[in-house]
Amino acid sequence: MKFAAVDVRQAASAADIVYEALRKAIIEGDLAEGENLRQDQIAQMFNISRIPVREALSRLEQHGLITTQRYKGAVVAGLSIEEIEEIFEFRALIEAEVIRLAVPNLDREALEKARRHCDAFDRETDPHRWGEINRNFHYSLYEASRRPYYLQNVRSSLDRIDRYLRAQLSFTNGVPRAGREHEAILAACEQGDADLASRLTRDHILDAGRSLMTFLREQRG
Amino acid sequence: MKFAAVDVRQAASAADIVYEALRKAIIEGDLAEGENLRQDQIAQMFNISRIPVREALSRLEQHGLITTQRYKGAVVAGLSIEEIEEIFEFRALIEAEVIRLAVPNLDREALEKARRHCDAFDRETDPHRWGEINRNFHYSLYEASRRPYYLQNVRSSLDRIDRYLRAQLSFTNGVPRAGREHEAILAACEQGDADLASRLTRDHILDAGRSLMTFLREQRG
DNA sequence: CATAGAAAAATTGGATCCAATATACAATCG
DNA sequence: CGATTGTATATTGGATCCAATTTTTCTATG
């Protein structure tokens, strides 16, 4: 018997849907840090019971996106300046290595894809989309590293600080600079210079971290 | 009225207890990879309902220690040779950096603690304890890095491959070598040579990875 | 005896209900 | 009037029950 190849991914469970929705809302900054997350309220929003909501919240807590206290509930986790600095330092280390490993494997297709995301980033005017496109650009290069575990950690660390990064990109004029740095990274990749791409990626992340720090220090006083 | 200050930490929930117990069993290799984990069976072992068990399993899945399929249940995750290699490579990167950051902060107390764990590792004859003592030794140095996020990732990556490492230490004679490498790392730390400690840590992890690879390739055929 | 199909058992995800505890607010007492 | 105590409400963690689906077992048939 012949049949079309169908993506038979298991339909997402309710807990999966809630988890993804809350994760997205947190990393995009739609849920402010410190905001209360009531199980019942979330359950009603999705028209489900609290059971899958609890499961979703438990997962979010494992990833450090929320904190929970018995009888008190969950709140969106806030990060101190020191914690944010540490995560940027970590990202610089990991992502510099990931792109170093990726460069030898980058083919024409991957480079073209990265080019499209790079251009899209420069053209985009909606602040809410910068974060997404920024991820797409970096991931399109990182994927060639063929290191799923590294990528999982890249994603996890970026998830934690993405909302701050997005806020900074929106409130300051960090976008043109990020765009230029993207161009330089992509050029190094196109020339097959792994060391240069690695150094530029590291600097790109540390620069963004420093900008964010000054932004936050002044915002938080 | 005077009274003693008491640690009023919230008693762990049932889900926490199950999570920690299963995590320990998996990383210590008491649960073999591929082994089925039935919610009902686990619930009965702990005399609780399936609800907290499900929550614990959901968390374990987030950490990559098990995989689940609807209507089929959970199995202890097995890692391919490539996945294990990648995790060792990742650990080498992270832990080399962590110890570099730690060395300047190591005080007399931390060094003495590390020395005790180092000696205990050499003296220990029970294979089941090597993994634990190995962790204690490395963590006692890493903690001085004052990088909680790095340490979280160190723990998470070590969790995934610890059972293979323990098996290899038990079945081959990798312990004396690891002991010598620990000595060298500790000596570099005592001399305040961060770069050397970093290089030695990196080599220590990569060496262990290579030993494990040859062990596994021959074991798996 | 081998095999296809039906029935039974096993197993998970989710809904509803209950117990435990924190918080907010009213009642009481000095 | 302020402080303290009691009570009602809000909220979470867990138990029990139900629905959906897979796996296994049994049975009928060629």
Side-chain angles (χ1 to χ4, degrees):
Chain A
M1 193 210 290
K2 278 185 154 187
F3 53 92
V6 170
D7 188 350
V8 287
R9 261 180 308 206
Q10 197 68 253
S13 68
D16 292 339
I17 293 168
V18 174
Y19 171 74
E20 285 300 336
L22 290 177
R23 170 181 168 272
K24 184 164 182 286
I26 292 172
I27 69 180
E28 294 186 355
D30 295 335
L31 287 170
E33 72 181 46
E35 192 155 340
N36 279 316
L37 299 174
R38 309 284 181 207
Q39 293 178 5
D40 206 26
Q41 162 200 346
I42 297 167
Q44 282 173 25
M45 283 168 45
F46 287 87
N47 261 314
I48 56 177
S49 78
R50 281 169 39 229
I51 297 289
V53 174
R54 275 176 48 190
E55 196 178 311
L57 292 175
S58 173
R59 290 187 213 170
L60 289 167
E61 188 177 23
Q62 293 299 303
H63 288 287
L65 295 179
I66 65 171
T67 60
T68 67
Q69 260 191 304
R70 194 167 187 175
Y71 307 121
K72 291 193 179 172
V75 296
V76 178
L79 293 176
S80 68
I81 295 278
E82 292 74 27
E83 288 170 324
I84 296 173
E85 276 185 314
E86 186 189 348
I87 292 177
F88 270 91
E89 193 190 348
F90 182 85
R91 286 185 56 214
L93 178 69
I94 304 296
E95 298 184 35
E97 179 67 11
V98 166
I99 202 154
R100 185 199 312 283
L101 296 165
V103 167
N105 301 328
L106 282 167
D107 57 14
R108 181 187 192 73
E109 194 186 349
L111 287 169
E112 281 172 1
K113 194 170 156 192
R115 166 62 59 196
R116 283 196 297 278
H117 290 306
C118 186
D119 292 346
F121 184 82
D122 293 336
R123 278 199 311 273
E124 185 60 55
T125 55
D126 179 1
H128 293 102
R129 299 225 50 211
W130 283 328
E132 170 98 12
I133 300 175
N134 183 51
R135 273 194 193 224
N136 289 341
F137 169 70
H138 287 290
Y139 284 2
S140 67
L141 295 172
Y142 294 165
E143 271 162 11
S145 69
R146 300 172 195 160
R147 298 290 195 286
Y149 187 70
Y150 279 76
L151 292 189
Q152 192 177 306
N153 282 280
V154 167
R155 173 176 147 135
S156 178
S157 56
L158 186 52
D159 273 4
R160 291 218 192 181
I161 48 83
D162 213 5
R163 53 201 150 127
Y164 303 107
L165 209 44
R166 286 170 195 237
Q168 186 245 340
L169 278 181
S170 297
F171 287 111
T172 72
N173 57 351
V175 171
R177 178 177 188 170
R180 283 195 302 276
E181 293 176 350
H182 288 172
E183 289 286 353
I185 291 168
L186 182 51
C189 290
E190 285 167 344
Q191 286 156 30
D193 191 337
D195 278 349
L196 179 58
S198 179
R199 275 205 309 282
L200 291 173
T201 297
R202 179 185 158 81
D203 292 344
H204 173 57
I205 293 168
L206 294 180
D207 278 358
R210 273 191 291 272
S211 299
L212 179 53
M213 285 310 117
T214 58
F215 172 67
L216 285 178
R217 272 192 238 276
E218 135 184 341
Q219 189 187 53
R220 297 188 183 184
Chain B
M1 191 209 294
K2 279 185 153 187
F3 54 91
V6 171
D7 187 351
V8 287
R9 258 182 310 206
Q10 198 67 251
S13 69
D16 292 338
I17 293 168
V18 174
Y19 171 75
E20 285 301 335
L22 290 177
R23 170 181 168 272
K24 185 164 181 286
I26 292 172
I27 69 179
E28 293 186 356
D30 296 334
L31 287 169
E33 72 180 49
E35 191 155 342
N36 279 318
L37 300 174
R38 309 284 179 205
Q39 293 178 5
D40 205 26
Q41 162 199 347
I42 297 167
Q44 281 173 25
M45 283 168 46
F46 287 86
N47 261 314
I48 56 178
S49 79
R50 282 169 40 229
I51 297 288
V53 174
R54 275 176 48 191
E55 197 177 310
L57 292 175
S58 173
R59 290 188 214 169
L60 289 167
E61 189 177 23
Q62 294 299 302
H63 288 288
L65 295 179
I66 65 171
T67 59
T68 68
Q69 261 191 304
R70 193 168 188 175
Y71 307 121
K72 292 194 178 171
V75 295
V76 178
L79 293 176
S80 69
I81 296 277
E82 292 73 28
E83 288 170 323
I84 296 173
E85 276 185 314
E86 187 190 348
I87 292 177
F88 270 91
E89 192 190 349
F90 182 85
R91 285 185 56 213
L93 178 69
I94 305 295
E95 298 186 34
E97 179 68 10
V98 165
I99 203 155
R100 187 199 311 282
L101 296 165
V103 167
N105 301 328
L106 283 168
D107 57 15
R108 181 186 192 72
E109 193 185 350
L111 286 169
E112 282 171 2
K113 195 170 156 191
R115 165 62 57 192
R116 282 195 297 278
H117 290 306
C118 186
D119 292 347
F121 184 82
D122 293 335
R123 278 198 312 273
E124 185 60 55
T125 56
D126 179 1
H128 293 102
R129 299 225 50 211
W130 283 330
E132 171 98 13
I133 301 175
N134 184 52
R135 272 195 194 223
N136 289 342
F137 169 69
H138 287 290
Y139 284 2
S140 67
L141 295 172
Y142 294 165
E143 271 162 12
S145 68
R146 300 173 196 160
R147 297 289 196 286
Y149 187 69
Y150 279 76
L151 292 189
Q152 192 178 306
N153 281 279
V154 167
R155 173 176 149 134
S156 178
S157 56
L158 186 51
D159 272 4
R160 291 218 192 181
I161 48 83
D162 213 4
R163 52 200 150 128
Y164 302 108
L165 209 45
R166 287 170 193 236
Q168 185 244 340
L169 278 181
S170 296
F171 287 111
T172 71
N173 57 350
V175 171
R177 178 177 189 170
R180 284 195 301 276
E181 293 176 349
H182 288 171
E183 290 285 353
I185 291 169
L186 183 50
C189 290
E190 284 167 345
Q191 287 156 30
D193 191 338
D195 277 349
L196 179 58
S198 178
R199 274 204 309 281
L200 291 173
T201 297
R202 179 185 157 81
D203 291 344
H204 172 58
I205 292 168
L206 294 180
D207 278 357
R210 272 190 292 270
S211 299
L212 179 54
M213 284 311 114
T214 58
F215 172 68
L216 285 178
R217 272 192 239 276
E218 140 183 337
Q219 189 188 52
R220 297 188 183 184

